[in-house]
């Protein structure tokens, strides 16, 4: 897989742009085809103008500027009391982004995707006037497959347009606006490892350690293929310590998990004091096609006890943690990786060893720093419901972060009114099972702010209570 960062050379327009259709009889007809956008910024023929003096250009009143990602376009605003205080006293406008890129002819026949790590708050992605994808949340990464609608060859520009809708909010905090995390162009062979498709789950055995490795293989070609799957692990010194190889058939246009088991002797354990991690490389080969994906993981075992607390590798730990949002001072939601690392270093310096991702998936750079600094993490999803979209977001979170040794708990909700009634119990149980399908190694909870009336505690692995210290003894006695 080839990955290209697309953070530069974007055009940006704050505010909606009038795309009122004309009364032309043929417009509704042509707008119902694959290339359905022939007006406005979604059209491949639209020209965003920053400034210029060309005779051969149609000038409009639309004000565009050149920007570089990550980009939060409301953080620089003057705050005003007339705006919602819960959202930071700023005005949330909609916006457009546009960018051009070319693809070489030799990439024809490959799978081409765009990976957006975060767009606040909702977004629609267009390529060459075609609808390519949508995201309904400002917090979860999403991948858009553009293989069938992109152009190849010299002089054939692909026109990418992203519409940002900020009118629906997901939290009572500053949310930011714009493409505030990285965007990548990803180029795969027709046989490849799926996005976040490598899962390593080490367990201690009588003879040491073993690690089942699940590699999710995609076959996007149009015929059944024999695929060779190789897995290997290197230790903290870069020395190979385990490897395996297996062959299997994968049907045309299919996705298949392939599981192998690696065995280890002596290993370095991940702990808050010694956060040692290993690298697993999964490679798939099928004829002329090949792909590989690397993930970091750690060896550690832990248990939770209702009376004694948390034990990691047999040692008792008190969690001294913080709840943290993803914005960061003057940068807003567009937080550079080094600031994420600095934030974690400050928390560690003040004596913290735990972090709750409040209340949504957070940046990979932050999660990396938490792993590297030995933090005990509660990973939390944003939507507490069982719609197709909510389940998709939850699955993305778990698949992205399940290799992280620092993640010890999954939280599927926060302060949800439904948690105090049967509907909430049904929702929790469904989300619980969705997590269990992807990871069976960590406790699952939901954070409750009405603990004496909770309907979800009976089904949770551990109890999560926000505030209400006066209820702790009674809840502990009951459960």
């Amino acid at each position: 897989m080839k990955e290209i960062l697309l953070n530069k050379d974007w055009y940006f327009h704050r505010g909606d742009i009038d795309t009122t259709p004309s009364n032309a009889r043929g417009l509704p007809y042509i707008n119902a085809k694959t290339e359905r956008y022939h007006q406005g910024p979604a059209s491949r023929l639209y020209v965003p103008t920053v400034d210029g003096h060309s005779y051969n250009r149609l000038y409009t009143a639309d004000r565009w500027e050149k920007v570089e990602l990550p980009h939060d376009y409301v953080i620089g605003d003057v705050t005003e009391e007339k705006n919602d205080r819960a959202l930071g006293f700023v005005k949330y406008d909609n916006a457009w982004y546009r960018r051009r890129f070319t693809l070489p002819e030799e990439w024809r026949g490959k799978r081409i995707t765009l990976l957006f790590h975060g767009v606040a708050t909702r977004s629609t992605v267009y390529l060459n006037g075609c609808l390519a994808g949508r995201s309904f949340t400002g917090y979860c990464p999403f991948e858009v497959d553009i293989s069938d609608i992109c152009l190849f060859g010299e002089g054939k520009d692909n026109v990418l347009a992203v519409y940002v809708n900020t009118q629906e909010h997901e939290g009572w905090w500053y949310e930011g606006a714009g493409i505030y995390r990285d965007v990548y162009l990803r180029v795969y062979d027709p046989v490849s490892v799926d996005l976040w498709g490598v899962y390593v789950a080490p367990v201690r055995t009588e003879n040491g350690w073993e690690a089942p490795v699940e590699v999710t293989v995609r076959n996007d070609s149009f015929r059944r293929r024999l695929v060779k799957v190789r897995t290997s692990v290197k230790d903290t010194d870069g020395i190979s310590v385990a490897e395996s190889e297996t062959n299997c058939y994968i049907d045309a246009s299919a996705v298949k998990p392939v599981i192998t088991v690696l065995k280890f002797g002596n290993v370095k354990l991940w702990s808050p004091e010694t956060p040692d991690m290993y690298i697993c490389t999964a490679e798939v080969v099928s004829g002329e096609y090949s792909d590989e994906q690397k993930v970091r993981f750690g060896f550690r075992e832990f248990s939770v006890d209702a009376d004694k607390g948390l034990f990691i590798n047999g040692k008792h730990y008190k969690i001294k943690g913080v709840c943290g949002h993803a914005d960061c001072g003057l940068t807003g939601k567009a937080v550079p990786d080094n600031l994420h690392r600095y934030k974690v270093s400050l928390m560690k310096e003040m004596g913290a060893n735990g972090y709750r991702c409040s209340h949504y998936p957070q940046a990979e750079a932050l999660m990396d720093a938490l792993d590297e600094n030995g933090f005990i993490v509660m990973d939390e999803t944003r939507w507490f419901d069982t719609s197709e979209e909510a389940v998709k977001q939850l699955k993305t979170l778990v698949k992205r972060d399940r290799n992280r040794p620092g993640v010890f708990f999954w939280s599927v909700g926060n302060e949800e009114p439904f948690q105090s009634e049967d509907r909430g119990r049904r929702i929790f149980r469904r989300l619980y099972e969705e997590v269990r399908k992807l990871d069976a190694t960590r406790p699952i909870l939901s954070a409750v702010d009405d603990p004496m009336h909770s309907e979800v505690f009976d089904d949770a692995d551990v109890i999560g209570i926000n505030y209400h210290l006066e209820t702790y003894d009674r809840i502990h006695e009951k459960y």
Side-chain angles (χ1 to χ4, degrees), residues 8-191:
K8 295 184 177 181
D9 301 321
W10 287 84
Y11 287 84
F12 168 72
H13 178 278
R14 182 166 179 172
D16 285 311
I17 294 176
D18 184 16
T19 56
T20 304
S22 70
N23 293 325
R25 184 172 63 90
L27 195 59
Y29 172 81
I30 200 66
N31 281 351
K33 305 303 179 184
T34 307
E35 185 179 342
R36 65 187 69 192
Y37 298 96
H38 298 268
Q39 292 181 304
S43 168
R44 62 187 173 89
L45 300 178
Y46 182 93
V47 178
T49 302
V50 175
D51 194 9
H53 38 273
S54 170
Y55 291 109
N56 301 312
R57 175 175 289 167
L58 174 65
Y59 284 90
T60 71
D62 305 337
R63 183 180 179 275
W64 292 81
E65 58 183 298
K66 291 288 287 291
V67 298
E68 184 173 329
L69 307 183
H71 184 231
D72 179 350
Y73 60 83
V74 298
I75 187 60
D77 288 2
V78 175
T79 56
E80 297 183 82
E81 288 189 10
K82 67 180 182 180
N83 297 320
D84 194 327
R85 63 177 181 174
L87 299 170
F89 290 109
V90 294
K91 185 176 183 292
Y92 288 82
D93 295 314
N94 301 331
W96 284 92
Y97 292 84
R98 280 175 60 96
R99 192 190 192 282
R100 291 177 177 268
F101 60 90
T102 59
L103 302 174
E105 183 64 38
E106 57 264 30
W107 288 357
R108 187 185 297 273
K110 296 182 181 291
R111 187 165 68 94
I112 315 291
T113 73
L114 296 165
L115 178 60
F116 294 83
H117 281 277
V119 184
T121 55
R122 300 192 174 195
S123 56
T124 307
V125 180
Y126 308 89
L127 188 79
N128 299 328
C130 307
L131 176 64
R134 286 193 173 100
S135 172
F136 295 94
T137 178
Y139 300 99
C140 199
F142 63 98
E143 189 176 38
V144 177
D145 193 323
I146 59 171
S147 306
D148 299 328
I149 55 175
C150 54
L151 301 171
F152 298 92
E154 185 177 351
K156 294 184 178 179
D157 281 0
N158 290 277
V159 179
L160 171 62
V162 180
Y163 178 61
V164 177
N165 186 322
T166 63
Q167 301 312 298
E168 293 189 51
H169 299 281
E170 299 178 75
W172 55 102
W173 50 75
Y174 175 82
E175 289 197 291
I179 308 177
Y180 69 93
R181 291 180 186 160
D182 294 338
V183 177
Y184 287 93
L185 177 75
R186 296 165 67 92
V187 184
Y188 302 85
D189 274 350
V191 176

Side-chain angles (χ1 to χ4, degrees), residues 288-435:
E288 72 276 26
Y289 301 140
S290 66
D291 186 30
E292 73 171 29
Q293 189 175 125
K294 297 179 185 290
V295 299
R296 296 194 306 179
F297 71 99
F299 292 91
R300 52 103 172 103
E301 57 182 350
F302 74 99
S303 63
V304 288
D305 183 273
D307 295 312
K308 298 178 181 179
L310 171 69
F311 292 82
I312 303 173
N313 304 324
K315 179 180 177 180
H316 178 254
Y317 286 88
K318 286 188 176 181
I319 304 174
K320 296 172 286 185
V322 300
C323 296
H325 280 285
D327 59 325
C328 202
L330 297 177
T331 72
K333 289 292 284 292
V335 182
D337 289 354
N338 64 326
L339 283 188
H340 285 304
R341 292 190 289 268
Y342 180 60
K343 177 179 177 178
V344 174
S345 72
L346 286 179
M347 291 189 295
K348 187 172 184 178
E349 182 181 335
M350 76 183 196
N353 68 356
Y355 186 86
R356 177 186 179 189
C357 299
S358 307
H359 304 279
Y360 41 78
Q362 299 200 9
E364 286 192 283
L366 176 75
M367 303 301 292
D368 287 344
L370 291 168
D371 272 342
E372 293 160 5
N373 284 274
F375 272 71
I376 300 163
V377 176
M378 178 195 293
D379 224 346
E380 191 162 68
T381 193
R382 175 81 291 270
W383 287 17
F384 184 75
D385 67 67
T386 54
S387 64
E388 181 179 354
E389 174 63 24
V391 172
K392 177 183 176 182
Q393 292 176 27
L394 178 61
K395 288 181 176 180
T396 297
L397 170 68
V398 175
K399 287 192 288 186
R400 190 195 72 168
D401 291 345
R402 60 186 175 177
N403 289 306
R404 299 185 178 280
V407 174
F408 283 77
F409 306 93
W410 301 115
S411 173
V412 298
N414 175 66
E415 298 184 358
E416 295 286 342
F418 278 16
Q419 292 168 338
S420 297
E421 58 176 276
D422 181 63
R423 284 185 294 177
R425 183 171 188 171
R426 282 179 269 155
I427 291 171
F428 178 84
R429 191 68 213 184
R430 166 76 186 282
L431 298 179
Y432 182 103
E433 293 302 326
E434 292 295 342
V435 174

